[in-house]
Amino acid sequence: MFMADIAGVRVLYTGDYSREEDCHLCAAEILQFSLYFNSEKMAKTIRRLAEKTPEVGETVSDFLVKKAFTYQIMALDDLHVFSQLSTENISQRITIAYSGAFGVLKHRLKQIFESVESLPDEESEGLAFRVHERLTVKYESEKHISLHWRSDPISDMVSGSVIISILLILILITS
């Protein structure tokens, strides 16, 4: 379907690529109008961010909260005061059945990832290493290892990659 406008005469063409006759309809007269929108937005800084007036051109950044039709920029510490939102840190842990040698696992992960470092025994309470300073892999027993990380998008991505790598290593060991 399309509209043709030739010398002020508008014709609406509806064609459906079938074997039936095409239909031509005269278009109704439509008055043209324009809408103008003001694209400026105003946001108030509140609490800790409002203590110091920013200089002209200085960037103010933290959290932008939209409530009804007003915008407020607030610090993370003030989020729970002015909204029903709160922030939490989530620590994740997964235990994987792994009966291979822990050293082989560390060696294979070093081949895949840039940063794999051993942890001191007092920090890890046994055999452990850290991948990309985000994920800790611990030797739990002869049949299990565990992965520990603080949840954020990058750490979740690293942990997913390590989990898939471990499962592929298990497939290589058993085949």
Side-chain angles (χ1 to χ4, degrees), residues 111-126:
Q111 292 175 331
I112 298 170
F113 298 97
E114 291 176 358
S115 172
V116 177
E117 293 121 14
S118 296
L119 293 176
D121 288 338
E122 61 273 358
E123 183 180 333
S124 63
E125 300 168 6

Side-chain angles (χ1 to χ4, degrees), residues 3-16:
M3 170 112 43
D5 187 353
I6 302 172
V9 178
R10 293 184 183 147
V11 176
L12 179 67
Y13 172 74
T14 58
D16 58 358

Side-chain angles (χ1 to χ4, degrees), residues 72-110:
Q72 298 172 333
I73 300 175
M74 64 182 69
L76 180 61
D77 301 340
D78 299 332
L79 189 62
H80 70 282
V81 175
F82 291 97
S83 69
Q84 296 175 346
L85 301 173
S86 62
T87 57
E88 298 295 327
N89 290 325
I90 299 173
S91 295
Q92 296 196 50
R93 175 187 173 171
I94 186 170
T95 302
I96 301 174
Y98 181 80
S99 57
F102 193 66
V104 170
L105 174 65
K106 182 179 176 185
H107 176 71
R108 292 287 184 182
L109 290 176
K110 272 187 177 180

Side-chain angles (χ1 to χ4, degrees), residues 109 113 115-116 129-137 158 162:
L109 290 176
F113 298 97
S115 172
V116 177
F129 57 87
R130 184 159 293 170
V131 179
H132 283 294
E133 299 178 358
R134 294 181 172 273
L135 173 80
T136 303
V137 180
V158 170
V162 170

